[in-house]
Every structure is written in structure tokens, then in C-alpha cells.
């Protein structure tokens, strides 16, 4: 994997093979950040990266100037890898929490402008993540929740669903507050 843009553009990052991860492809990540670039000033947003894995998405935000990035993953080896890599790259903006994402969200109350969730595709209850984020008002009013998922999953009937993008095998569903909420 590589960082697509920003201060560390083209920097390659190699994760240990023993991490239980499926990093977002560079093509999908670049397309996603092109969308985000049109809607946000990266140095003005707060990011929550759920199921962070290798930290791939967080490094991209940090490279583009985001100063508040919180990574949450249950796997201690993933958290250690993110911490080590963030330190090596000088990304002081990245902080980590080792926790089950469902447990974390149940207790969390800080608002974020961009929430990215890349759960294992086979994980049951993905819709619960979306529900909890909106019920607990964790997403800022101008923010976006991006859920990466398999092509078999369809969230288009969810009341806060706004858009879906597909890049190869990678699917992103976008959720935002509606104007009347």
C-alpha cells in the first residue's frame, strides 16, 4: 500500500503478513479521497477510523494535513503497527484505541466530521454501526460516515444513506444527516 497524496505522497508502507487485514486498495482509496477533497478542508476536520487495520486510511488523512485522527481496532498487533508507523512518519495527529468497535461506539461521545468504517466483510451487524453513530450523534452535522463493504451488502434503504460508489471489489456507502434532522 502507498500514500496517494500530501506530504508523504508515494510513500510505500508494508504491513506484516500476520495482521488480519484487507487494506483498502490504492485505486479505491484515491477515488474516495478525490470525493472527500471536494467537500472538506483536511486540516479542519476530525476523523474517526473504525476497524483501522493497518492504518492505511488514517495515514492518508494525516499526509493531507488532518490534525485529529482516532484509530480504533480490536487487534493489538494492528494498533502497535499503526503506532509504530505513525511515529516513523511523524504523524502526531494519529492516536489509537484498542477496543471492540461496537463497545467503543457504545461509550464514545466525541463528534467527528469524517467517520470511516472498514469492517471485515463477513462481520454480522454492520448496520448497527450506522445506527449507533446516528443515535449517539457522533457524526457532526456536516459530516459523512463512509462504510466499506462487500457488493452483497446494500444499505440504500437506510434513512441516512446518500450515495454508493464501487471500485472493483470495494464498495463505499455514504451516510449523512438529512437537512431536516
Amino acid at each position: 500500500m502507498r500514500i496517494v497524496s500530501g506530504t508523504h505522497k508515494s510513500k510505500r508502507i508494508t504491513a506484516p503478513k500476520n495482521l488480519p487485514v484487507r487494506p483498502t486498495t490504492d485505486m479505491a482509496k484515491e477515488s474516495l479521497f478525490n470525493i472527500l477533497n471536494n467537500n472538506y478542508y483536511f486540516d479542519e476536520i476530525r476523523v474517526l477510523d473504525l476497524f483501522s487495520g493497518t492504518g492505511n486510511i488514517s495515514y492518508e488523512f494525516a499526509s493531507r494535513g488532518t490534525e485529529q485522527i482516532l484509530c480504533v481496532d480490536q487487534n493489538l498487533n494492528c494498533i502497535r503497527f499503526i503506532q509504530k508507523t505513525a511515529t516513523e512518519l511523524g504523524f502526531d495527529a494519529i492516536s489509537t484505541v484498542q477496543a471492540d468497535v461496537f463497545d467503543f461506539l457504545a461509550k464514545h461521545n466525541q463528534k467527528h466530521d469524517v467517520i470511516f468504517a472498514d469492517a471485515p466483510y463477513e462481520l454480522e451487524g454492520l448496520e448497527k454501526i450506522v445506527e449507533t453513530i446516528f443515535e449517539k450523534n457522533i457524526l457532526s452535522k456536516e459530516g459523512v460516515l463512509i462504510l466499506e463493504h462487500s457488493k452483497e451488502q446494500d444499505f440504500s434503504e437506510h434513512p441516512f444513506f446518500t450515495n454508493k460508489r464501487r471500485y472493483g471489489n470495494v464498495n463505499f456507502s455514504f451516510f449523512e444527516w438529512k437537512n431536516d434532522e
Side-chain angles (χ1 to χ4, degrees):
M1 80 189 137
R2 68 179 172 87
I3 296 175
V4 175
S5 188
T7 59
H8 290 68
K9 181 179 180 176
S10 301
K11 173 74 175 161
R12 292 209 171 273
I13 299 166
T14 305
K17 295 192 184 308
N18 64 340
L19 293 184
V21 296
R22 171 200 29 78
T24 303
T25 64
D26 287 347
M27 178 192 71
K29 182 172 61 169
E30 184 169 11
S31 299
L32 172 64
F33 275 86
N34 285 339
I35 294 168
L36 293 173
N37 195 46
N38 289 324
N39 295 298
Y40 297 98
Y41 293 106
F42 291 109
D43 60 347
E44 296 178 0
I45 61 173
R46 295 171 314 269
V47 173
L48 178 60
D49 185 359
L50 301 172
F51 305 97
S52 298
T54 62
N56 185 16
I57 295 296
S58 292
Y59 307 139
E60 195 67 46
F61 276 109
S63 181
R64 293 167 187 250
T66 303
E67 294 182 6
Q68 250 189 320
I69 305 161
L70 180 58
C71 299
V72 180
D73 201 284
Q74 186 170 5
N75 186 288
L76 179 59
N77 290 329
C78 288
I79 292 298
R80 286 179 177 156
F81 178 74
I82 293 168
Q83 291 169 338
K84 176 180 175 273
T85 305
T87 298
E88 289 172 357
L89 296 174
F91 290 152
D92 298 333
I94 295 176
S95 58
T96 59
V97 173
Q98 181 194 0
D100 172 85
V101 167
F102 295 99
D103 293 342
F104 172 83
L105 288 174
K107 298 172 187 167
H108 190 66
N109 58 12
Q110 185 180 3
K111 287 195 185 301
H112 302 274
D113 303 301
V114 176
I115 301 175
F116 182 81
D118 182 8
Y121 284 0
E122 68 281 355
L123 183 71
E124 297 286 325
L126 222 46
E127 63 284 343
K128 179 71 174 147
I129 292 169
V130 179
E131 295 301 324
T132 302
I133 287 168
F134 283 94
E135 284 172 9
K136 292 199 64 198
N137 204 15
I138 296 170
L139 183 67
S140 69
K141 292 297 179 190
E142 303 79 31
V144 63
L145 164 62
I146 305 149
L147 187 62
E148 183 175 334
H149 57 87
S150 71
K151 65 182 178 185
E152 287 79 24
Q153 294 169 306
D154 180 14
F155 297 94
S156 61
E157 297 301 315
H158 191 280
F160 296 110
F161 174 86
T162 57
N163 192 4
K164 179 180 176 181
R165 299 289 177 98
R166 182 171 179 249
Y167 305 100
N169 292 327
V170 177
N171 294 269
F172 295 122
S173 284
F174 296 78
F175 304 85
E176 299 176 37
W177 290 103
K178 304 295 180 173
N179 289 335
D180 56 342
E181 297 294 328

